[in-house]
Amino acid sequence: MLLNKKIIALLAGMLALIANTISAADYITDAGAIVKKADWKTMQTITVTMDEFAYEPDGLKLNAGQPYKIVIKNKGKVKHYFTAPEFFKAIATRKIQSNKDGEIKAPYFTAIELMVDGQLDLYFVPVKKGSYPVFCTVDGHRDQGMEGMLTIK
């Protein structure tokens, strides 16, 4: 019985390791090199405003290999999310920056949360071509139309 518990624990650990490896493999693995190689002097800036219950604009068309800064502003009366897990897997992220509080450098994430009157700037290079949904995960917001599409061509 004790041997069976050890085998089950070992197998569970191996499955967790495999799942984490597969999940991390979905993201751009050479993001640091892509960000470093990018010509940030040619960076394009796009502003996305969040309000009840919409993104403006509700769709973006981005070119693979082109550096971007998306300025995300919450002009709503409540907090909102810019949730786009598949999109974040398709880009090489340089950083997320608050113009008054600092910046975050991370290889990947799934969502950006903004409080009322908040602003965050996302610096990145699109890599994997495709269309990716973006939506707000606050209860009921997506159902009321707070969603859009991010396209990398």
Side-chain angles (χ1 to χ4, degrees):
M1 183 84 138
L2 184 59
L3 184 58
N4 286 342
K5 287 182 179 179
K6 287 183 180 181
I7 291 172
I8 290 170
L10 178 64
L11 289 174
M14 289 173 58
L15 288 173
L17 180 62
I18 290 168
N20 285 339
T21 303
I22 291 169
S23 177
D26 291 345
Y27 290 90
I28 304 299
T29 56
D30 56 347
I34 292 168
V35 165
K36 188 174 182 177
K37 183 180 173 185
D39 182 0
W40 290 96
K41 293 177 194 157
T42 66
M43 176 182 71
Q44 293 182 15
T45 300
I46 301 168
T47 299
V48 174
T49 303
M50 299 187 291
D51 206 340
E52 281 76 37
F53 295 93
Y55 296 109
E56 181 58 44
D58 64 359
L60 298 178
K61 293 190 187 317
L62 309 165
N63 295 315
Q66 168 68 48
Y68 287 93
K69 174 174 80 169
I70 295 181
V71 178
I72 306 169
K73 297 180 178 184
N74 182 359
K75 296 299 181 188
K77 296 176 184 164
V78 298
K79 73 177 181 178
H80 289 293
Y81 282 84
F82 191 87
T83 305
E86 297 305 314
F87 174 74
F88 293 132
K89 291 178 182 179
I91 65 174
T93 303
R94 178 177 168 193
K95 64 181 175 178
I96 294 177
Q97 181 175 320
S98 164
N99 290 332
K100 57 184 172 182
D101 298 320
E103 63 186 36
I104 300 165
K105 295 181 180 172
Y108 48 83
F109 42 89
T110 58
I112 297 170
E113 177 183 6
L114 280 173
M115 300 302 151
V116 176
D117 291 324
Q119 175 182 324
L120 289 172
D121 302 337
L122 171 63
Y123 294 78
F124 67 98
V125 178
V127 178
K128 294 180 184 176
K129 295 178 181 181
S131 292
Y132 307 97
V134 59
F135 48 91
C136 184
T137 53
V138 173
D139 287 343
H141 287 201
R142 188 175 190 184
D143 294 337
Q144 294 182 60
M146 195 164 184
E147 62 184 346
M149 191 63 63
L150 305 167
T151 302
I152 299 173
K153 49 188 183 142

